[in-house]
Amino acid sequence: MERRKFIGTFTAFAAATLSAQTFGALGGLDKIGGALGGDKGGNGAASWKDIAKSFGEAKASFAATAQQQALIAADIADALDLKSEAEALRGEAGNLAEKGDAMGSGDLEAVAENSASTQALIEAKLQESEALTDEQKAALGKAAADYMPTLISGVSVAMAVKDTVQNASGMGAPGFRDGRAAISAAKDIPVLGPKIIKFLIDSAKTGKSLMSLMKTKGVATPDDSEMDSQLAGFA
């Protein structure tokens, strides 16, 4: 009987020690949550299973939104006769669709780098264009109308990811009963969460700037004032 008690006590101690060590290796979610602003503890998910589910859904939404943005940016590049850039953007959109919610940190970094360099080329080309043709203006106007909803939804996804990161920061280490998805989420959230947020907010700011530039070139663009209040939460 005493031997059983000893084994049970030892097993519980070992599990608790392993859980604490695992959480320490997962990056310290409380630090990440604090860096994002807001309260240390979130107020949405009630368990690690909920957090893992929310994060998986947010990653899927991110991939879909980023894919749409890449395809629209490709149309903008086409209108400005940046054919190779448009092709690269469509390839990027294909990669995003393929990865979906399985996207890792390295995948996201590659997408962010390609997106930033291509957007810079698009802005430079538009800036130096002295006079756009009516056909170009029409194509750019349509792209702008399609682009705006994806920028707004992107900020909404960033808000959801921010909430998930903050919810995770208020939790202890996930246990084995929470399942593999929870343990994986606890590892991914501190690294991937802030990168997703940065990508989407940078995209929103770049898109807003691009549409302002389009206006100076005589392109009809949608009202983007709704984004101001959304972006204020990420200043």
Side-chain angles (χ1 to χ4, degrees):
M1 183 66 180
E2 292 300 320
R3 186 170 180 272
R4 287 182 183 174
K5 287 183 179 179
F6 172 76
I7 291 173
T9 302
F10 177 78
T11 302
F13 173 76
T17 301
L18 177 60
S19 181
Q21 289 175 339
T22 300
F23 185 62
L26 296 180
L29 285 166
D30 57 329
K31 295 179 182 178
I32 297 297
L36 289 173
D39 296 333
K40 180 179 177 183
N43 53 15
S47 70
W48 266 113
K49 288 183 179 180
D50 294 329
I51 290 173
K53 182 174 182 290
S54 296
F55 191 59
E57 291 171 350
K59 284 199 296 180
S61 295
F62 163 74
T65 300
Q67 179 193 8
Q68 290 175 329
Q69 290 179 355
L71 289 173
I72 295 167
D75 292 340
I76 294 172
D78 263 337
L80 295 172
D81 203 31
L82 295 170
K83 303 301 181 185
S84 61
E85 286 76 11
E87 184 179 351
L89 283 164
R90 292 189 177 102
E92 181 180 296
N95 290 335
L96 286 163
E98 183 179 345
K99 291 287 182 180
D101 63 0
M103 175 178 292
S105 179
D107 300 316
L108 182 52
E109 286 175 2
V111 169
E113 184 177 343
N114 292 337
S115 179
S117 60
T118 305
Q119 288 287 358
L121 285 173
I122 289 174
E123 283 206 31
K125 179 74 173 184
L126 187 58
Q127 184 72 59
E128 66 188 30
S129 298
E130 295 184 3
L132 298 172
T133 66
D134 289 342
E135 184 179 357
Q136 284 179 311
K137 288 180 181 179
L140 291 172
K142 181 183 183 305
D146 293 338
Y147 204 17
M148 178 57 70
T150 72
L151 298 176
I152 292 172
S153 64
V155 177
S156 296
V157 173
M159 289 176 176
V161 175
K162 182 178 178 181
D163 286 344
T164 299
V165 172
Q166 291 178 336
N167 282 329
S169 73
M171 301 288 288
F176 293 109
R177 289 183 180 179
D178 293 313
R180 289 185 178 182
I183 293 173
S184 178
K187 181 179 178 181
D188 289 344
I189 288 171
V191 178
L192 197 54
K195 289 182 179 180
I196 289 175
I197 294 169
K198 185 178 187 306
F199 180 96
L200 292 170
I201 298 306
D202 285 351
S203 293
K205 291 177 178 178
T206 299
K208 198 170 185 298
S209 173
L210 181 61
M211 282 189 278
S212 294
L213 182 56
M214 284 184 188
K215 285 181 185 178
T216 68
K217 301 297 180 178
V219 177
T221 61
D223 178 34
D224 60 5
S225 59
E226 181 181 344
M227 290 177 60
D228 293 335
S229 59
Q230 286 187 315
L231 291 173
F234 296 91

